[in-house]
Amino acid sequence: QVQLVESGGGLVQAGGSLRLFCAASGGSFSRYHVGWFRQAPGKEREFVATLKWSGGSTYYADSVKDRFTISRDNAKNTAYLQMNSLKPEDTAVYYCAAGLGSWPRSLPIQYDYWGQGTQVTVSS
């Protein structure tokens, strides 16, 4: 098993940038696919991005493609989500997730472990 803790969220103006962190512990992080999801008030949790365990292969939701970048540093047991050109509609609680098996993985049910989330608020 693996434990995940997100950080790096905050308040930013539209057009600004934030970098989210996902710190992993308790397991062999390098063996897990990583995903980022987000959930806004009154909405279902939605897929943002995923990175294959072996590195290099990424997949993004259309809503964030070309603006967000997912990455990882296995030596630090940390995954990242670089968010640029932020829009008010990006406002949500962002969750880091980890899972095994096939890739890409864009559904919450495909992930085994979740962090508690970090709030991102983008003002207009």
Side-chain angles (χ1 to χ4, degrees):
Q1 63 178 352
V2 61
Q3 294 79 48
L4 306 173
V5 179
E6 303 94 337
S7 63
L11 175 64
V12 64
Q13 291 185 325
S17 299
L18 282 174
R19 186 173 177 85
L20 304 184
F21 302 80
C22 176
S25 63
S28 184
F29 178 66
S30 64
R31 297 180 180 272
Y32 290 84
H33 307 306
V34 172
W36 284 95
F37 292 77
R38 65 188 183 186
Q39 187 167 23
K43 296 184 178 181
E44 297 293 323
R45 189 167 299 187
E46 67 172 343
F47 169 75
V48 175
T50 185
L51 175 63
K52 193 174 182 180
W53 75 271
S54 56
S57 297
T58 59
Y59 179 66
Y60 298 90
D62 289 341
S63 60
V64 306
K65 189 175 182 180
D66 299 325
R67 298 190 298 120
F68 291 10
T69 302
I70 187 172
S71 62
R72 68 194 299 169
D73 186 340
N74 288 336
K76 297 181 178 180
N77 289 334
T78 303
Y80 309 90
L81 184 68
Q82 178 66 46
M83 306 185 295
N84 299 325
S85 301
L86 284 163
K87 305 175 181 179
E89 51 262 45
D90 294 319
T91 296
V93 176
Y94 283 71
Y95 298 89
C96 178
L100 302 173
S102 63
W103 189 94
R105 307 170 73 86
S106 59
L107 298 174
I109 196 173
Q110 295 175 312
Y111 291 84
D112 303 303
Y113 306 104
W114 294 83
Q116 294 183 320
T118 184
Q119 177 71 47
V120 172
T121 302
V122 184
S123 62
S124 60

